[in-house]
């Protein structure tokens, strides 16, 4: 088992290029299944989730090659339609393959994606939409069997919640379907736009991505392209929280300010100065950290749930009391107990966390139980007095490319040790 050892109280400063977005690379890899020929994805982050997605593609008969941050997917061969349980369990977001496998083969069998630390993670919205497109879904002993004998058909779909994964799966199922699909109350996250941009370059006909109504006109075939994955907006937020908590100043090259419009004002209220340019973001914190009255996580363009944990870490040292409300996931406060172990004063009541700023955090042995919660512990450790040891690195490695290198390049004292 690997651990991060962080010696705190180091002010971060410098410039860093943000990695490619995990939450875009995964649906893009799934979309490559729909393209006959060789798709090339640049700026793919080297993450365990990306490697797991490549293993699933390989299992389905694709040829997947990873070279640096470029992933090449050749999807000529006849495509399998079953994802074995052991591969499904490697990453929860493998449900993103459901739409693409159905779009390519008209059938799919995979095990129900398990819940995770964030909660049950149901897929009812995905399945309801696919049924409207002609898919018959049967579930037996935790295995999902989806068949679509007459081929997928366009449908009018209204999502009761703007689910990111459901929106992506519907788009993936609709691009080669017969007829037109309209998604009402679609998710508007930037990753949806990235997926639609890629698919349209391949010859798809998708309009309205990034708005709450997406229209997909089915086409017969998609042709391969080279594409560059968008920057990871959650990693940008993580670096912002690192600058905020250490009183540092960081330039994040490749950051797209429009992807984090709801986050910037929160960090300005915390006492940071944030300057954005077309291809970078500069953040510095020269004034004392201040509490923020209320931060509520919402679907895009609201404050992103993925930025909740690391922002909470920064707020734990702010003067005053902050309130955070997590409206997206039912159990996204698992990092609170570990932050408290480091000296934070945080109380959780249902979906609300009350963060009373303290003067100091202390290094401790803490455990990550999910990806962004783990990142929050690393952020807190950067400012804590003494040394922090973080276990559960496998969670952090799902979303951050060599987090120890990223933070060390900005002046942190971080090392990865193996048991
Ligand atoms: C995506 O998850 C991201 N993952 C998550 O990032 C992100 O937090 C989330 O979107 C919200 O922005 C990837 O893109 C791989 P949802 P997803 O479907 O698609 C409920 C990270 O840290 N729901 O929008 O699973 C669900 O339970 C990860 O990078 C249903 O009830 O998110 C949750 O409460 C974590 N039924 C809410 O909707 C469904 O059928 C949001 O889920 C689907 C979802």
């Amino acid at each position: 088992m690997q651990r991060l050892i962080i010696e705190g109280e180091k002010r971060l400063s410098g410039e860093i290029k943000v990695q490619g977005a995990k939450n875009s690379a995964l649906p893009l890899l799934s979309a490559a299944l729909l393209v006959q020929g060789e798709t090339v994805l640049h700026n793919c982050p080297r993450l365990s989730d990306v490697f797991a997605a490549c293993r699933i593609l390989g299992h389905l008969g694709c040829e997947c090659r990873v070279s640096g941050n470029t992933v090449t997917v050749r999807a000529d061969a006849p495509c399998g339609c079953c994802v074995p349980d052991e591969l499904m369990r490697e990453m929860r977001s493998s449900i993103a393959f459901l739409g693409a496998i159905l779009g390519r083969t008209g059938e799919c069998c995979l095990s129900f994606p398990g819940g995770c630390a964030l909660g049950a993670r149901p897929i009812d919205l995905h399945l309801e939409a696919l049924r409207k497109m002609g898919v018959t879904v049967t579930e037996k002993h935790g295995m999902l069997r989806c068949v679509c004998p007459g081929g997928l058909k366009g449908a009018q779909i209204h999502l009761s919640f703007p689910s990111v994964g459901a929106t992506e799966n519907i788009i993936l199922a609709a691009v080669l379907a017969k007829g037109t699909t309209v998604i009402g109350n679609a998710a508007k996250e930037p990753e949806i736009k990235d997926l639609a941009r890629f698919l349209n370059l391949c010859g798809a006909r998708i309009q309205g991505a990034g708005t709450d109504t997406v229209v997909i006109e089915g086409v017969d075939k998609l042709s391969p392209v080279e594409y560059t994955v968008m920057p990871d907006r959650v990693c940008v937020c993580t670096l912002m929280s690192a600058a905020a908590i250490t009183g540092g100043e960081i330039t994040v090259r490749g950051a797209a300010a429009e992807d984090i419009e709801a986050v910037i004002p929160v960090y300005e209220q915390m006492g940071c100065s944030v300057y954005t340019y077309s291809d970078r973001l500069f953040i510095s914190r020269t004034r004392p950290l201040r509490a923020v009255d209320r931060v509520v996580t919402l679907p895009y363009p609201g404050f992103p749930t993925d930025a909740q944990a690391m922002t909470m870490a920064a707020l734990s040292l702010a003067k005053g009391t902050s309130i955070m409300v997590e409206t997206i996931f039912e159990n996204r406060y698992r990092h609170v107990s570990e932050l408290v172990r480091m000296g934070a004063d945080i109380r959780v009541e249902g979906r609300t966390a009350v963060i009373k700023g303290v003067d100091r955090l202390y290094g401790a042995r803490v455990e990550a139980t999910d990806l962004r919660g783990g990142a929050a512990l690393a952020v807190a450790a950067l400012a804590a007095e003494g040394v922090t040891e973080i276990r559960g690195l496998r969670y952090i490695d799902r979303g951050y490319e060599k987090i120890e290198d990223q933070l060390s390049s900005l002046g942190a004292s971080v090392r990865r040790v193996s048991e």
Side-chain angles (χ1 to χ4, degrees), residues 11 33 89 97 114 130 133 155 175 194 205 208 210 260 270 287 319 329 347 351 371 413 418:
R11 183 178 169 278
L33 205 52
R89 287 184 181 283
F97 281 92
L130 293 172
M133 297 178 74
V175 282
D194 213 30
R205 290 206 196 115
I260 51 169
M270 285 163 72
R287 303 185 294 279
K319 214 165 204 39
F329 288 106
R347 272 179 305 110
R351 292 207 174 211
L371 163 53
S413 165
S418 302

Short mmCIF file of all heavy atoms in Angstrom, two decimals, residues 11 33 89 97 114 130 133 155 175 194 205 208 210 260 270 287 319 329 347 351 371 413 418:
data_model
loop_
_atom_site.label_atom_id
_atom_site.label_comp_id
_atom_site.label_asym_id
_atom_site.label_seq_id
_atom_site.Cartn_x
_atom_site.Cartn_y
_atom_site.Cartn_z
N ARG A 11 4.68 27.40 1.72
CA ARG A 11 3.87 28.26 0.86
C ARG A 11 4.08 27.82 -0.59
O ARG A 11 5.22 27.71 -1.05
CB ARG A 11 4.36 29.71 1.06
CG ARG A 11 3.61 30.77 0.30
CD ARG A 11 4.17 32.17 0.64
NE ARG A 11 3.62 33.15 -0.28
CZ ARG A 11 4.12 33.35 -1.51
NH1 ARG A 11 5.16 32.65 -1.92
NH2 ARG A 11 3.58 34.25 -2.32
N LEU A 33 -15.42 3.93 -29.16
CA LEU A 33 -15.96 2.61 -29.51
C LEU A 33 -16.89 2.73 -30.72
O LEU A 33 -17.09 1.79 -31.48
CB LEU A 33 -16.77 2.12 -28.30
CG LEU A 33 -17.01 0.66 -28.06
CD1 LEU A 33 -15.72 -0.12 -28.09
CD2 LEU A 33 -17.70 0.48 -26.71
N ARG A 89 -15.91 -3.38 -11.88
CA ARG A 89 -15.66 -2.96 -10.49
C ARG A 89 -14.44 -2.06 -10.37
O ARG A 89 -14.24 -1.39 -9.37
CB ARG A 89 -15.49 -4.20 -9.59
CG ARG A 89 -16.81 -4.90 -9.33
CD ARG A 89 -16.69 -6.07 -8.37
NE ARG A 89 -17.98 -6.72 -8.20
CZ ARG A 89 -18.96 -6.20 -7.42
NH1 ARG A 89 -18.76 -5.07 -6.79
NH2 ARG A 89 -20.12 -6.80 -7.29
N PHE A 97 -19.82 3.18 -20.57
CA PHE A 97 -19.66 2.34 -21.77
C PHE A 97 -21.00 1.78 -22.26
O PHE A 97 -21.12 1.32 -23.39
CB PHE A 97 -18.68 1.19 -21.49
CG PHE A 97 -17.26 1.62 -21.56
CD1 PHE A 97 -16.59 2.06 -20.42
CD2 PHE A 97 -16.58 1.65 -22.77
CE1 PHE A 97 -15.28 2.50 -20.49
CE2 PHE A 97 -15.26 2.08 -22.85
CZ PHE A 97 -14.61 2.50 -21.71
N GLY A 114 -21.26 -0.72 -8.80
CA GLY A 114 -21.48 -0.63 -7.35
C GLY A 114 -21.66 0.81 -6.93
O GLY A 114 -21.34 1.73 -7.66
N LEU A 130 -32.80 4.78 -21.91
CA LEU A 130 -32.46 3.77 -22.93
C LEU A 130 -33.69 2.94 -23.28
O LEU A 130 -33.90 2.56 -24.43
CB LEU A 130 -31.31 2.89 -22.42
CG LEU A 130 -29.97 3.61 -22.27
CD1 LEU A 130 -28.93 2.71 -21.59
CD2 LEU A 130 -29.44 4.08 -23.64
N MET A 133 -35.53 4.43 -25.88
CA MET A 133 -34.87 4.32 -27.21
C MET A 133 -34.98 2.91 -27.76
O MET A 133 -34.34 2.56 -28.76
CB MET A 133 -33.40 4.75 -27.08
CG MET A 133 -33.24 6.21 -26.66
SD MET A 133 -31.52 6.69 -26.46
CE MET A 133 -31.03 6.79 -28.18
N ALA A 155 -35.55 9.28 -29.48
CA ALA A 155 -36.70 9.44 -28.58
C ALA A 155 -36.67 10.81 -27.92
O ALA A 155 -35.63 11.48 -27.90
CB ALA A 155 -36.65 8.35 -27.50
N VAL A 175 -26.16 8.87 -31.12
CA VAL A 175 -25.44 9.40 -32.30
C VAL A 175 -25.57 8.48 -33.52
O VAL A 175 -25.52 8.96 -34.65
CB VAL A 175 -23.94 9.66 -32.01
CG1 VAL A 175 -23.77 10.95 -31.24
CG2 VAL A 175 -23.26 8.50 -31.32
N ASP A 194 -17.49 18.92 -24.39
CA ASP A 194 -16.26 18.32 -24.94
C ASP A 194 -16.61 17.05 -25.71
O ASP A 194 -16.14 16.82 -26.82
CB ASP A 194 -15.29 17.99 -23.79
CG ASP A 194 -13.83 18.15 -24.20
OD1 ASP A 194 -13.55 19.00 -25.07
OD2 ASP A 194 -13.00 17.41 -23.67
N ARG A 205 -24.24 14.59 -35.44
CA ARG A 205 -25.04 15.83 -35.56
C ARG A 205 -25.70 16.12 -34.22
O ARG A 205 -26.80 15.65 -33.94
CB ARG A 205 -26.10 15.67 -36.65
CG ARG A 205 -25.50 15.61 -38.05
CD ARG A 205 -26.45 16.09 -39.16
NE ARG A 205 -25.91 15.62 -40.45
CZ ARG A 205 -26.54 14.73 -41.23
NH1 ARG A 205 -27.74 14.28 -40.89
NH2 ARG A 205 -25.99 14.33 -42.37
N GLY A 208 -26.83 21.90 -29.15
CA GLY A 208 -27.32 22.30 -27.83
C GLY A 208 -26.52 21.76 -26.66
O GLY A 208 -26.88 21.97 -25.51
N GLY A 210 -24.27 21.63 -23.65
CA GLY A 210 -23.94 22.76 -22.77
C GLY A 210 -25.17 23.57 -22.40
O GLY A 210 -25.13 24.45 -21.55
N ILE A 260 -15.13 27.25 -14.51
CA ILE A 260 -15.23 27.31 -13.04
C ILE A 260 -15.76 28.67 -12.60
O ILE A 260 -15.34 29.23 -11.58
CB ILE A 260 -13.86 27.02 -12.37
CG1 ILE A 260 -12.75 27.89 -12.97
CG2 ILE A 260 -13.49 25.54 -12.49
CD1 ILE A 260 -11.45 27.85 -12.19
N MET A 270 -12.83 34.40 -0.12
CA MET A 270 -11.94 33.81 0.89
C MET A 270 -10.68 34.67 1.09
O MET A 270 -9.86 34.38 1.95
CB MET A 270 -11.53 32.39 0.46
CG MET A 270 -12.62 31.34 0.65
SD MET A 270 -12.28 29.86 -0.31
CE MET A 270 -10.94 29.16 0.58
N ARG A 287 -4.05 38.17 1.61
CA ARG A 287 -4.78 38.67 2.79
C ARG A 287 -5.15 37.45 3.66
O ARG A 287 -5.09 36.32 3.18
CB ARG A 287 -6.07 39.39 2.33
CG ARG A 287 -5.77 40.55 1.37
CD ARG A 287 -7.05 41.32 1.04
NE ARG A 287 -8.01 40.53 0.29
CZ ARG A 287 -7.95 40.33 -1.03
NH1 ARG A 287 -6.94 40.82 -1.73
NH2 ARG A 287 -8.85 39.61 -1.66
N LYS A 319 -10.82 32.70 8.85
CA LYS A 319 -11.35 33.41 10.02
C LYS A 319 -12.88 33.45 9.90
O LYS A 319 -13.41 33.89 8.88
CB LYS A 319 -10.80 34.85 9.97
CG LYS A 319 -10.53 35.47 11.33
CD LYS A 319 -9.67 36.72 11.16
CE LYS A 319 -8.89 37.05 12.42
NZ LYS A 319 -8.37 35.84 13.09
N PHE A 329 -24.61 14.76 -4.00
CA PHE A 329 -24.44 13.39 -3.49
C PHE A 329 -24.86 13.31 -2.03
O PHE A 329 -24.62 14.25 -1.26
CB PHE A 329 -22.97 12.95 -3.64
CG PHE A 329 -22.58 12.69 -5.07
CD1 PHE A 329 -21.77 13.59 -5.75
CD2 PHE A 329 -23.04 11.56 -5.75
CE1 PHE A 329 -21.43 13.37 -7.07
CE2 PHE A 329 -22.70 11.35 -7.08
CZ PHE A 329 -21.89 12.25 -7.73
N ARG A 347 -18.74 20.55 11.72
CA ARG A 347 -19.87 19.71 12.13
C ARG A 347 -20.78 19.48 10.94
O ARG A 347 -21.03 20.41 10.17
CB ARG A 347 -20.66 20.41 13.26
CG ARG A 347 -20.13 20.09 14.66
CD ARG A 347 -20.93 20.82 15.73
NE ARG A 347 -21.00 22.26 15.51
CZ ARG A 347 -22.10 22.91 15.14
NH1 ARG A 347 -23.23 22.23 14.93
NH2 ARG A 347 -22.09 24.21 14.94
N ARG A 351 -27.06 17.35 5.01
CA ARG A 351 -26.30 17.74 3.83
C ARG A 351 -25.52 19.04 4.07
O ARG A 351 -24.89 19.58 3.17
CB ARG A 351 -27.24 17.92 2.64
CG ARG A 351 -27.85 16.58 2.21
CD ARG A 351 -28.20 16.58 0.79
NE ARG A 351 -28.64 15.25 0.33
CZ ARG A 351 -28.44 14.83 -0.90
NH1 ARG A 351 -27.83 15.61 -1.76
NH2 ARG A 351 -28.84 13.64 -1.27
N LEU A 371 -11.99 9.98 -3.99
CA LEU A 371 -11.02 10.76 -4.76
C LEU A 371 -10.87 12.20 -4.28
O LEU A 371 -9.78 12.65 -3.90
CB LEU A 371 -11.47 10.71 -6.24
CG LEU A 371 -10.93 11.71 -7.23
CD1 LEU A 371 -9.42 11.72 -7.23
CD2 LEU A 371 -11.45 11.39 -8.62
N SER A 413 6.45 19.94 0.23
CA SER A 413 7.34 18.82 0.59
C SER A 413 6.45 17.57 0.67
O SER A 413 5.79 17.31 1.68
CB SER A 413 7.97 19.12 1.96
OG SER A 413 8.51 17.91 2.45
N SER A 418 6.11 3.52 -0.35
CA SER A 418 5.38 2.24 -0.42
C SER A 418 5.62 1.50 0.88
O SER A 418 6.70 1.58 1.44
CB SER A 418 5.91 1.40 -1.59
OG SER A 418 5.74 2.17 -2.75
#
